[in-house]
Amino acid sequence: MRKIFDVHIHFPRNWENPDEDQAPMVDRLADIAVRVGITKGCMLTGGRFGPTYERGMEILEKYRDLFIPVAVIDPEEIGPAEVQQLYDMGYRGLKLIGVARPYDEPDYLPTYAKAEQLGMPILFHIGVIGGGLDYSITHPRRSAAAAQAYQRMMAMQSRMPPRNVSATRMSPLHLDTIANRFPKLKIIGAHVGNQGNYDYAASVARWRHNVWFDMSGGETIERHLVERKLLAANSRGEFGVEKLVWGSDCGMDEIAEHIRRFDAMYEQLGLTEDEQERLWWRNAAEIYGLEEPTFAAE
């Protein structure tokens, strides 16, 4: 039976009614995850838009066999002592996004050092933050669904302050700094580095043994995986097959289609069963200590 490790699952939230109880949404997400074949998933919990870390752990307690709690943190506020507290609560990884300063800011390094000491992998969002409308594939002028989504976005923006975020602070090159400084810290960059960053991301993955990239990000990034030969059979792509992991990073009702698209992609590329198993499961399972790394014999 195929195993799927999803490294990029956001804690579900009703953005139009943020005070809605999230426990029933997690129940539904867990049911969907099991039905589509996800064996293990990293649940990104807390932070600016999630439940409190304590409430997140309460909700996830009955799904510990399925979900790995990963704390979304702001390194401006979360230092080594707080990372230890999160670990003691049950969190086994960290997620960073929308930072106020570049990822390799010296003030952030003690936080990473503590994660390395505790064996907590860190998932870094890379590049432009998505969400809402993907104008590379749709537009409100030609899609009624896009027009409705646009109106919802505008309504939500009126209730929220402008975001202090910048893609320049979330470059894959920052991961090179961190990987060199903390060679035992397991680092995952999201979205294959994101558009415009593929070459940088591939270069970091090429030379840093402790850096991987997830393939979440939607259909445009999936198309680029093929068209730009970021992924290819027999590790002939820009990324070696051992350097990529799978993540959904989408609404729960879209996960099944997301998996179907990757199945079709892997067939199109002619990936071997071993390569597919690595991408679906083993690479991420090794990162999180569920599988022992394998090495070639002489």
Side-chain angles (χ1 to χ4, degrees), residues 15-284:
W15 289 91
E16 297 179 51
N17 182 16
D19 295 327
E20 182 180 350
D21 182 16
Q22 291 171 293
M25 290 185 272
V26 173
D27 292 338
R28 183 164 176 266
L29 173 56
D31 178 67
I32 289 173
V34 171
R35 282 193 283 111
V36 301
I38 292 175
T39 314
K40 189 71 71 172
C42 294
M43 182 70 84
L44 312 180
T45 307
R48 299 178 183 86
F49 302 115
T52 65
Y53 297 122
E54 294 79 6
R55 178 57 178 155
M57 288 301 301
E58 289 176 4
I59 295 173
L60 293 178
E61 184 59 37
K62 63 180 176 179
Y63 296 116
R64 295 300 290 271
D65 288 341
L66 176 62
F67 295 131
I68 297 173
V70 172
V72 182
I73 70 164
D74 181 352
E76 298 288 337
E77 301 175 357
I78 301 294
E82 291 78 15
V83 172
Q84 181 69 61
Q85 291 170 4
L86 290 168
Y87 182 85
D88 293 342
M89 289 171 59
Y91 287 94
R92 291 298 176 263
L94 303 175
K95 161 72 185 292
L96 275 72
I97 185 173
V99 287
R101 291 181 281 175
Y103 281 145
D104 57 2
E105 168 67 33
D107 288 347
Y108 296 169
L109 300 186
T111 297
Y112 306 150
K114 191 64 177 180
E116 180 186 46
Q117 177 191 344
L118 295 172
M120 300 175 77
I122 304 181
L123 171 64
F124 292 86
H125 172 86
I126 301 296
V128 173
I129 296 177
L133 279 175
D134 183 346
Y135 290 101
S136 71
I137 60 176
T138 190
H139 193 279
R141 80 169 178 82
R142 49 187 159 91
S143 165
Q148 293 171 3
Y150 174 81
Q151 295 299 331
R152 290 195 299 271
M153 287 167 51
M154 293 302 102
M156 285 188 289
Q157 285 182 6
S158 67
R159 304 194 301 266
M160 300 172 66
R163 298 188 300 184
N164 176 22
V165 298
S166 170
T168 60
R169 304 172 196 156
M170 300 180 287
S171 165
L173 292 177
H174 299 144
L175 304 188
D176 184 59
T177 312
I178 299 165
N180 278 298
R181 186 68 176 268
F182 305 106
K184 293 183 180 179
L185 176 63
K186 295 175 180 176
I187 297 167
I188 303 173
H191 318 313
V192 208
N194 225 325
Q195 290 172 264
N197 289 322
Y198 300 137
D199 288 344
Y200 289 144
S203 183
V204 176
R206 179 185 179 191
W207 295 112
R208 302 285 83 82
H209 72 274
N210 54 329
V211 177
W212 296 260
F213 286 87
D214 84 29
M215 298 180 287
S216 70
E219 295 179 70
T220 298
I221 286 175
E222 292 162 25
R223 175 169 56 82
H224 290 166
L225 280 165
V226 176
E227 293 179 353
R228 305 189 184 193
K229 296 183 179 179
L230 304 178
L231 174 64
N234 301 312
S235 285
R236 293 194 302 267
E238 296 298 321
F239 291 83
V241 73
E242 295 85 2
K243 284 295 193 167
L244 296 171
V245 293
W246 190 81
S248 59
D249 189 27
C250 60
M252 64 180 82
D253 293 318
E254 302 168 14
I255 296 176
E257 173 59 26
H258 198 56
I259 291 172
R260 283 193 290 270
R261 292 201 307 268
F262 271 82
D263 274 329
M265 181 199 304
Y266 294 165
E267 182 177 356
Q268 176 187 353
L269 293 173
L271 301 187
T272 66
E273 289 185 9
D274 177 73
E275 289 171 330
Q276 294 189 41
E277 194 263 348
R278 283 216 150 268
L279 297 170
W280 282 125
W281 169 260
R282 185 165 293 273
N283 291 340

